[in-house]
Amino acid sequence: IIAINMLIHQLDMQIWDEKLVRFIFIHPFISIKFMSENLGITRQTASKYIKKLQELQILESVDYGKTKLYYNPDFIKILS
């Protein structure tokens, strides 16, 4: 819980901070489209959030066909 609260403050995002943090820890792999549809935000907003999460080194990306997927490496380690 402390780590999630610290992450929320680092993100400095205006909407549903806790919902966003939970989302990236629930879904091992996400795309911009998947995030926008599930959080009810625009693709542009989802892209902005993902970019910020990458800058904070919370998410990394991998190409999967024509789609770029994003993942939280720490979450993947927990699942392994």
Side-chain angles (χ1 to χ4, degrees):
I1 293 175
I2 293 171
I4 290 174
N5 287 334
M6 288 174 44
L7 180 58
I8 288 170
H9 292 296
Q10 283 181 330
L11 294 177
D12 191 32
M13 296 178 181
Q14 296 177 349
I15 66 163
W16 306 313
D17 292 325
E18 187 175 340
K19 188 175 180 180
L20 175 65
V21 173
R22 288 177 191 254
F23 181 80
I24 65 171
F25 280 97
I26 290 171
H27 302 286
F29 291 90
I30 59 174
S31 66
I32 291 172
K33 180 181 178 184
F34 184 71
M35 177 184 271
S36 68
E37 290 173 353
N38 282 274
L39 294 180
I41 57 178
T42 66
R43 291 175 62 95
Q44 292 82 6
T45 300
S47 179
K48 180 178 105 175
Y49 287 0
I50 286 174
K51 183 177 179 180
K52 180 71 172 177
L53 291 165
Q54 285 185 292
E55 288 171 4
L56 294 170
Q57 299 180 341
I58 294 166
L59 291 183
E60 295 182 9
S61 67
V62 62
D63 292 326
Y64 183 73
K66 294 181 180 181
T67 304
K68 186 170 289 265
L69 296 177
Y70 302 89
Y71 64 96
N72 178 331
D74 293 330
F75 183 55
I76 298 297
K77 287 177 190 174
I78 292 170
L79 295 176
S80 301

